Amino acid sequence: MEDIDTQIQEAPKYDKTDDTIVFGFWIYLMTDCVLFAALFAVYAVLHNNTFGGPSGSQIFSPHYVLIETLALLSSSFTCGIGLISAYNMQKNRVIGWFSVTFLLGVSFVIMEIVEFAHLINVGNSFKRSAFLSSYFTLVGTHGLHVTVGLIGMLILMIRIYTKGLTKSSVRRLTLLSLFWHFLDIIWIFIFTIVYMMGIA
Amino acid sequence: MNILGKLSINALPHDMVTLGGAMMMIVAIIFGIFYVTYTKRWSWLWKEWITTTDHKKIGVMYIFVSIIMGIRGFADVVLLRTQQATSVGASHGIVSANHFQQIFSAHGVIMIFFVAMGFLFGIVNLVLPLQIGSRDVAFPFLNATSFWLFAAGMVLMNASLIIGNFTYAGWLSYPPLSELKYSPGVGVDYWIWSLQIAGLGSLFSGINFLVTIIKLRCKGMALMKMPLFTWSVFGTMSLVILAFPILTVTLALLYLDRTIGTHFFTASGGGNMMMYVNLIWSWGHPEVYILVLPAFGIFSEVVSVFSRKRLFGYRSMVLAIWAIVFLSFIVWLHHFFTMGAGVDVNAFFGMMTMIIAVPTGVKIFNWLFTMFRGRIKFNASMIFFLGFIFLFTLGGVAGVMMAVPAIDYQLHNSLFLVAHFHTMIVSGVLFGDFIGVMYWFPKIFGFKLIDVYGRVAAYLWIIGFVVAFGPLYILGLMGATRRLDHYPAYTGWQPLFIVAGVGVFIIALAVLFQFIQLIVSYRKRNDNIDITGDPWDGRTLEWSTSSPPPFFNFAILPEVSNRDDFWEKKQRGLNSNNKEYTDIEIVKNTPIAMYIGSAACLFGFSAVWHIWWLLILSLIAVIVFIMIRTTDEETEYILTASKVAEIDKKVQWKI
């Protein structure tokens, strides 16, 4: 956090709460982690309960998911570069890199929606079996988180565009990118446990 | 599609008992509104309470809500005990079976979520920042939001009395009974959403207090110099952040099952209903310790102050807290040994359950050794405390008994179990909360409670408790199961049920004395004013500031070098002469926390009744309120050093 303090000239005089807020956000992420852990546990219990419906290997398409994964992973990379630009007070670069991040995130969400819609259309909806219920809920909860992150990113970009890189928006970018990397890590687990182990 | 979802005129109450309850509640609300209007206190209520971000006021509001809900929970008890004392043989008592089920479900939910949790967060809010020498919690606005989410859950739960009905599937609403097929009404949905919203508030509080303890301790307060109450809150909040997300997930999955037709816990479609029981108890067992750990902290403070001795075995106390935090996550299966998980699994959880009794035992011995050769003051707090030691040990031994899976098969879901957990929660949690309120009351309100009424209440509570729950242990061993609305006369249980009913009457008297204590103390407050800020000859930092403290708690942030630093300084006659005031940043009052709570309440209501347009609207409202708050750059103001000095002088003059 020190480099933020030294590099922003117009730092408000009384603000000492930054690292408390970042720490609080870390704790929040840990609670979110427990939330996903519970959903993973549910998936682990139910993933064989296909109830006559399809199993994972019958419905997952490895290439499709790989593209999804690459989109999300590269968005994490661009998000990281965007944050470095923010610490260097390069406003245009911040907006540029986060726009790329945003587009990658949106394409991830769209791909996921298309995948879900396809599954539902061919009759493999969350109502079909306990396995599909837990699959939709686990992956969908992650998708919901990504969507919330995208909304936050959009609002923050509009703010930075109009008001510049204030101390509070740099702090929020820090939180947003923590959130974004966290979702990436969760996705890696989903990719491994749900898709790879499901196909294998 | 109906614009009001499932809501229709039929949702209004039909039967007499519910109607009576609903009417009483409406009359109370109208009376409240009338009273505030009559005394012209709306603007005071708005400025001082509803929009506040001050942790002390938020704490008071938590406790106020808890007391109100406690009255409702107790009214439920009176109905339950009357029913069980009279509904035998040909007589069928005062309420129908269905209504009886709603009452015991509501009783459990109210007492755990809205009384015990409310008292817990209330007392933690009141005391914790003062005790660690801080001016507020880490995130004051989030703290207010937590409270309003708690209040929203409470409103939703009470709305079920007037519009619709409440769950009759028990306080944890196990599937398959709580699934749509067997509970098609809105009762379970009310249960889900009032807990979901209040639980979210608890989760935010957990994050908030954990960060507060780690980041905002005053200078010199190393971890091993923290007061024991702070340590216990540290442990509690760690449990909250690890356990509450599991509750969130469990409730959400049940709602999905009921609403969009997933198969998590259904009997068909490959669902696994025992997974629900596992999930809910992997939150539920830590929850037990979430409730009891702060009470342990309160006992530790009080027993040391009123025995005028340093707490015995500080290190072992801290260690015991963390042992409990760890072990509380690996005992959940003892709530359902009868699931049939197999010998090995049951044996493991049985052993862990016995082991978790060890740190608790360590704490009991430490408190007793603290009293040993102390100069003990036998006031109401200490009588409650001794009652706790006596009852909690008995209840604990009963618990260790049930930790043996073979015995548990016999006692599972019997009244023996009901008696056991009431012993633990009433003596452990409720007595602790009573002591906490009496002990810190002068700090918050500036005058002491009159002790004699408290002593009478304490004796009546202890006697009433033994009379009310002693028979339940015996009944349990005689084979009476829990949640019985009717039993045949030949069982011979009626006399014992009547005795239990008498016990409830004695407890009612005790509660009456507690209210008398509050009212009389308020009327005679001028005789009991605490001008020193340190009425009990206390040991910890909250007693070093005035009573009530200024809204910024400490004019000059304290510095400590010892455990019980305030006490040490008093003994050595040290007085800090450092009077260098500095500017303080204070979070402004804001109504947004209350707006978020209201929108969340509306969200829950529309989720219960499937009014989807309102659901989306209230969700958008929540997002907009959060956006307004986060884009507001001027949420704080600066109280200048000279202003601080001025307020501090007034306070000092009083002392």
Side-chain angles (χ1 to χ4, degrees), chain B residues 143-193:
Chain B
N143 196 22
T145 310
S146 295
F147 168 75
W148 286 107
L149 288 174
F150 168 76
M154 184 273 287
V155 169
L156 204 58
M157 142 108 228
N158 282 302
S160 72
L161 193 64
I162 303 172
I163 311 164
N165 52 43
F166 198 61
T167 180
Y168 45 75
W171 80 283
L172 287 182
S173 289
Y174 284 2
L177 181 56
S178 59
E179 287 286 354
L180 193 64
K181 194 173 172 190
Y182 305 102
S183 299
V186 291
V188 177
D189 298 309
Y190 264 121
W191 176 81
I192 289 173
W193 284 101

Side-chain angles (χ1 to χ4, degrees), chain B residues 177-360:
Chain B
L177 181 56
S178 59
E179 287 286 354
L180 193 64
K181 194 173 172 190
Y182 305 102
S183 299
V186 291
V188 177
D189 298 309
Y190 264 121
W191 176 81
I192 289 173
W193 284 101
S194 59
L195 295 202
Q196 192 71 296
I197 293 171
L200 211 59
S202 306
L203 185 58
F204 290 153
S205 288
I207 297 171
N208 209 341
F209 284 110
L210 195 78
V211 176
T212 306
I213 294 172
I214 292 176
K215 288 282 185 185
L216 296 188
R217 276 169 292 135
C218 69
K219 232 182 195 174
M221 191 180 276
L223 284 176
M224 286 312 274
K225 286 174 186 163
M226 294 199 307
L228 220 86
F229 179 71
T230 305
W231 264 118
S232 66
V233 175
F234 194 0
T236 306
M237 296 308 157
S238 315
L239 284 175
V240 168
I241 64 168
L242 292 171
F244 266 78
I246 308 176
L247 178 72
T248 308
V249 167
T250 314
L251 294 173
L253 297 185
L254 184 63
Y255 186 71
L256 289 179
D257 266 10
R258 291 177 56 82
T259 314
I260 66 166
T262 54
H263 293 287
F264 289 106
F265 314 121
T266 53
S268 64
N272 186 340
M273 57 197 86
M274 281 323 291
M275 185 174 65
Y276 178 91
V277 183
N278 274 289
L279 281 171
I280 200 93
W281 281 114
S282 32
W283 157 80
H285 200 83
E287 166 70 9
V288 175
Y289 287 95
I290 289 169
L291 295 178
V292 85
L293 276 179
F296 285 175
I298 294 168
F299 295 134
S300 306
E301 298 292 323
V302 168
V303 76
S304 153
V305 166
F306 291 137
S307 303
R308 295 158 171 279
K309 268 179 68 187
R310 194 176 243 256
L311 188 74
F312 184 89
Y314 178 92
R315 271 166 199 281
S316 61
M317 284 299 223
V318 173
L319 209 65
I321 288 171
W322 290 99
I324 289 173
V325 167
F326 175 71
L327 288 169
S328 71
F329 274 102
I330 46 174
V331 296
W332 81 88
L333 195 125
H334 70 211
H335 294 271
F336 45 96
F337 280 137
T338 51
M339 176 172 83
V343 177
D344 298 343
V345 174
N346 276 0
F348 172 79
F349 281 96
M351 277 189 271
M352 286 304 129
T353 307
M354 290 178 212
I355 288 173
I356 203 169
V358 174
T360 318

Side-chain angles (χ1 to χ4, degrees), chain A residues 14 49 127 130 133 159 168 172, chain B residues 263-264 269-270 585 630 633:
Chain A
Y14 294 101
N49 297 13
K127 292 181 191 170
S133 298
R159 228 178 128 62
S168 68
R172 281 186 195 130
Chain B
H263 293 287
F264 289 106
E585 53 182 304
T630 47
E633 298 276 345

Side-chain angles (χ1 to χ4, degrees), chain B residues 447-448 450 453 517-529:
Chain B
F447 61 95
K448 283 201 260 188
I450 298 171
Y453 299 106
Q517 183 189 25
L518 275 177
I519 294 163
V520 176
S521 305
Y522 176 71
R523 295 197 151 202
K524 296 190 178 167
R525 61 189 177 281
N526 290 332
D527 305 344
N528 292 305
I529 291 265

Side-chain angles (χ1 to χ4, degrees), chain B residues 545-601:
Chain B
T545 182
S546 63
S547 306
F551 56 94
F552 46 77
N553 289 354
F554 299 96
I556 295 155
L557 285 179
E559 247 178 74
V560 299
S561 46
N562 284 301
R563 208 178 285 162
D564 292 348
D565 192 74
F566 178 57
W567 171 266
E568 300 286 337
K569 281 191 181 132
K570 273 194 293 189
Q571 299 312 305
R572 285 192 234 131
L574 290 177
N575 208 347
S576 164
N577 290 320
N578 166 25
K579 284 283 174 193
E580 273 175 42
Y581 296 101
T582 48
D583 292 358
I584 302 174
E585 53 182 304
I586 308 278
V587 176
K588 284 183 197 164
N589 281 8
T590 169
I592 291 178
M594 190 271 282
Y595 295 155
I596 291 176
S598 311
C601 188

